[in-house]
Amino acid sequence: MFKKILLVSALLVSGASAHTAVMTCFDNGDGTITCEGGFSDGASGSGVAMYIKQNDKKVSEGLMNEDSEFTFAKPQGEYNVNFDAGKGHVVSIKGQDIVE
């Protein structure tokens, strides 16, 4: 019985990790940032909520487009870009980590 429970638990854990949210962002060099997002199993990020936070306050928000991209004006100062596909599927990238 213990082996069956362990096997089921392992399958549930591996199934949960097969749908991890992923995002990358880059500086376009023209005052804008573009982020691409989706899921580790290849699923599109189209329609996923995106928002930019500064000082724990949302300063911009929108949705990933049909190409799973989101472009926004680069804020001055420190900020975080967030890909929010719901509980357990949120990715946040610090502005200082986004390069051309």
Side-chain angles (χ1 to χ4, degrees), residues 16-49:
S17 65
H19 193 73
T20 302
V22 293
M23 177 179 66
T24 187
C25 298
F26 52 91
D27 187 324
N28 295 312
D30 63 359
T32 64
I33 304 292
T34 297
C35 298
E36 299 173 338
F39 299 90
S40 60
D41 65 358
S44 170
S46 178
V48 170

Side-chain angles (χ1 to χ4, degrees), residues 70-94:
F70 180 71
T71 300
F72 60 95
K74 182 179 179 178
Q76 295 294 317
E78 295 182 14
Y79 65 95
N80 289 337
V81 181
N82 300 277
F83 174 95
D84 188 350
K87 187 176 180 179
H89 294 92
V90 177
V91 179
S92 182
I93 297 177
K94 293 181 181 181

Side-chain angles (χ1 to χ4, degrees), residues 1-13:
M1 178 70 163
F2 178 73
K3 287 183 180 181
K4 286 183 182 178
I5 292 172
L6 185 59
L7 177 60
V8 170
S9 296
L11 290 173
L12 289 174
V13 169

Side-chain angles (χ1 to χ4, degrees), residues 45-62:
S46 178
V48 170
M50 295 289 297
Y51 57 91
I52 291 72
K53 289 181 88 173
Q54 284 185 299
N55 301 318
D56 293 324
K57 182 179 178 182
K58 284 185 186 178
V59 295
S60 181
E61 59 188 310

